[in-house]
Amino acid sequence: MAKSHNQKIKILILEKLLSGTGEHKVVTMQEILDNLGQYGISAERKSIYDDMEALRDFGYDIQYKRGRTGGYYLQPKAEEKTGEDATENGEAGTVCQSDAEDMAKSRTEEGGGSSRVRSEEISEAGKTMKLLCKKEREEEIREYFGSIGKYKIKTSGQLSVAAPQISGPYFFGWLTTMGQDVHIVKPKKIASAYRDYLKTLAKDYKGL
């Protein structure tokens, strides 16, 4: 099968798999690879990440749900949210304006879906932050940093990430969910700020 033809089919399969998804019904990376395999298409995880980014650039609002039961799903457009979701907002078949504004703001903050980093938390434009991550977290790391990150698998098997310097509660909150699987290598000032953030959290819960 020609490579270009293979790629066209791969994108169509991804579109089909995503079309039946939602926040409570996701498709996992393994399910994607298994479905591609049924069509005789062998794909690496990195190529799937790139395909997801291509679909986002084309206008698909593809989200990633983290956790053991996590996976990819397609976020419906505002005008498609009807029924139960709309009824909760007081109007059948519509989405209230504040919800639409929140979704638009979210897409802006995430750079059109290519990154989940909030622009206001990029502390020093042009300067780089480096992180060292466990290989098992690669999918979540790529989903968070998207196209603003540069990724490299080291000989140790760990994932090295270079990204713009980020600092703030949203980034630190996300970093906390990674536990000991992600470490800030440099700069030291951001590593120190994250350490202070963790100390503040621990202090707030001390004695409870």
Side-chain angles (χ1 to χ4, degrees):
M1 184 181 292
K3 185 176 180 180
S4 60
H5 184 60
N6 183 305
Q7 181 64 22
K8 289 177 182 178
I9 293 178
K10 184 155 69 113
I11 289 291
L12 289 173
I13 293 171
L14 289 177
E15 286 181 310
K16 181 178 179 181
L17 290 173
L18 288 167
S19 66
T21 62
E23 187 173 357
H24 302 294
K25 184 181 179 183
V26 304
V27 58
T28 66
M29 176 63 77
Q30 191 57 54
E31 287 173 337
I32 291 172
L33 296 174
D34 289 345
N35 273 272
L36 291 174
Q38 292 177 11
Y39 288 85
I41 300 174
S42 177
E44 297 181 353
R45 288 174 177 260
K46 183 181 183 303
S47 72
I48 302 300
Y49 302 140
D50 293 341
D51 290 333
M52 291 296 184
E53 289 303 321
L55 287 170
R56 286 186 177 116
D57 291 340
F58 195 66
Y60 287 85
D61 191 357
I62 300 171
Q63 303 292 325
Y64 182 79
K65 184 178 181 180
R66 297 180 176 83
R68 183 175 297 179
T69 59
Y72 294 94
Y73 67 94
L74 195 60
Q75 181 72 40
K77 295 180 181 179
E79 61 268 21
E80 294 175 352
K81 286 195 171 185
T82 58
E84 183 178 346
D85 291 341
T87 302
E88 290 177 357
N89 291 321
E91 295 183 35
T94 63
V95 176
C96 70
Q97 184 177 358
S98 61
D99 285 347
E101 291 172 349
D102 287 345
M103 285 186 281
K105 182 180 178 183
S106 175
R107 282 193 290 272
T108 300
E109 290 167 344
E110 294 176 7
S114 61
S115 168
R116 302 190 186 285
V117 174
R118 290 175 177 251
S119 58
E120 65 266 28
E121 290 204 305
I122 298 179
S123 56
E124 294 188 51
K127 293 192 176 182
T128 303
M129 171 180 70
K130 289 192 176 180
L131 303 97
L132 198 59
C133 323
K134 284 190 176 181
K135 182 66 170 62
E136 294 80 3
R137 292 285 194 172
E138 182 176 2
E139 189 168 337
E140 293 165 276
I141 298 299
R142 287 180 178 271
E143 278 295 319
Y144 185 79
F145 289 103
S147 59
I148 70 169
K150 296 187 181 300
Y151 312 93
K152 182 179 180 180
I153 302 297
K154 301 178 72 68
T155 54
S156 63
Q158 292 178 299
L159 176 69
S160 175
V161 182
Q165 288 189 16
I166 308 168
S167 180
Y170 295 104
F171 171 59
F172 290 157
W174 171 82
L175 199 59
T176 302
T177 68
M178 296 292 104
Q180 297 180 327
D181 294 344
V182 178
H183 293 274
I184 300 172
V185 178
K186 68 176 188 179
K188 290 184 177 179
K189 64 179 182 180
I190 292 183
S192 179
Y194 179 53
R195 187 163 51 247
D196 291 341
Y197 171 83
L198 293 176
K199 287 180 180 178
T200 300
L201 284 182
K203 183 179 179 181
D204 287 344
Y205 284 94
K206 186 176 181 180
L208 292 179

